[in-house]
Structure formats: C-alpha cells, structure tokens
Amino acid sequence: MAQSDQTTNQILDIVNCARTWQEVKEQRVYICPARGTAYQHQPAHYFGVYYNRSVQLVANIEAVVEVTAEGTAEIKWQFGGDRAANYQTRAIDAAKRLRPESDLPVQVFILDVLQATDFKKDTAGSMVGTKKYIDVSSLGVDSAGYLAGKLSGKKWSDFQ
C-alpha cells in the first residue's frame, strides 16, 4: 500500500468524467475497471473531475481500492486518515451499489469533499485519453480546498 510522500502529494490526476461526473459529485467515488492500461493510475493526492472542457471539481483522494469479483478489496494507495478496513468496506459497498452489473475487478477512488473550480482545457479538441497528470507543487497548497481556489481561472497551458 502506497502512502503519502512529497512527490505524490503534489500530483493532480485529471480524469475524464464526462459520463459519470454527476455520480462522482453525489457519491464522492470514481469507479473504473482495474484492468487495462487506460485505467491504470499512478498515485496522486488530488483528483480532478473533467467534463465540459474543464476541471470543475477537485478533491483529495482518500484511498484507491481494488474490488474483486470474489468481494475482496485491496488498498492500492491511501492518503486519508481512516483505517484501511473502513476504506475497503466503503469500496465494496460502492462497487456493489453503483456497478452491480459491471465486470470486476474495479478500482474505487474514495474522495474527500469535492471543491468547485474552473480549470480550463485551452487546446483544441477533447481530452486525449482518460486521464492526465499535472504537478501542482508550484501552487504551494496542501488540500483540495486551496487547490480549487488556485486553479480557478487558470488554463492547462499554464502548467506546460
């Protein structure tokens, strides 16, 4: 299980949530397949909800948990202060409730409170791929609440 460190604390994992942003907002979880390179995520402290050509919500990632077809759960990484067993229980519950028909295994991102922002993609076309990583260490923030404020009104090209 990966824990917080100086490098991953400052990474924003922007995920294309065009089809699921409402679920992410209401449930504070993001669920994706656990297999396939498009869905492999590197540890990051922040989660960015991308839809309508911008990141409109950010959150601290509390934990990422893989839920198997057998109903077991393995912590992939954890940044939140709760017990691993609690994150595992929450992930299994979310997978059963929100993806009862899906092919398991799935990854469940358990998110802290989502914070509104407006971090615009300023290049032509839609988001390439399902995710993008941005190092936000230059912003000097230590939570998604501060990150949301610092990103609001900025463009992706500000971080190239």
Side-chain angles (χ1 to χ4, degrees):
M1 160 179 46
Q3 290 292 327
S4 170
D5 69 29
Q6 195 64 10
T7 305
T8 56
N9 268 337
Q10 299 303 312
I11 301 298
L12 170 64
D13 184 355
I14 298 172
V15 179
N16 189 340
C17 296
R19 295 180 187 181
T20 61
W21 69 268
Q22 288 180 308
E23 177 183 273
V24 173
K25 183 178 179 180
E26 292 167 7
Q27 304 295 320
R28 290 186 17 211
V29 297
Y30 169 73
I31 301 174
C32 67
R35 302 291 181 256
T37 56
Y39 300 105
Q40 296 306 304
H41 292 259
Q42 58 183 281
H45 190 74
Y46 304 112
F47 186 89
V49 180
Y50 173 86
Y51 63 101
N52 291 337
R53 298 192 44 80
S54 70
V55 174
Q56 297 189 19
L57 300 164
V58 294
N60 293 325
I61 298 173
E62 291 188 23
V64 176
V65 183
E66 184 173 318
V67 178
T68 68
E70 295 78 29
T72 63
E74 176 189 345
I75 302 284
K76 301 310 268 182
W77 70 85
Q78 175 182 336
F79 295 109
D82 204 352
R83 293 183 18 227
N86 291 342
Y87 290 125
Q88 291 167 313
T89 299
R90 288 171 60 188
I92 291 168
D93 174 64
K96 286 180 180 177
R97 192 169 30 86
L98 300 170
R99 298 293 183 280
E101 305 291 323
S102 78
D103 293 325
L104 296 175
V106 293
Q107 291 181 98
V108 179
F109 286 67
I110 299 173
L111 307 174
D112 200 352
V113 176
L114 289 147
Q115 308 288 330
T117 192
D118 187 23
F119 181 39
K120 294 198 181 303
K121 180 182 178 299
D122 56 336
T123 55
S126 60
M127 185 172 164
V128 176
T130 59
K131 63 189 172 299
K132 176 179 179 65
Y133 299 101
I134 293 181
D135 180 345
V136 294
S137 59
S138 64
L139 299 177
V141 299
D142 61 2
S143 73
Y146 291 118
L147 179 61
K150 294 275 189 165
L151 289 177
S152 194
K154 292 205 181 302
K155 298 179 176 107
W156 289 19
S157 61
D158 294 336
F159 290 87
Q160 301 299 337

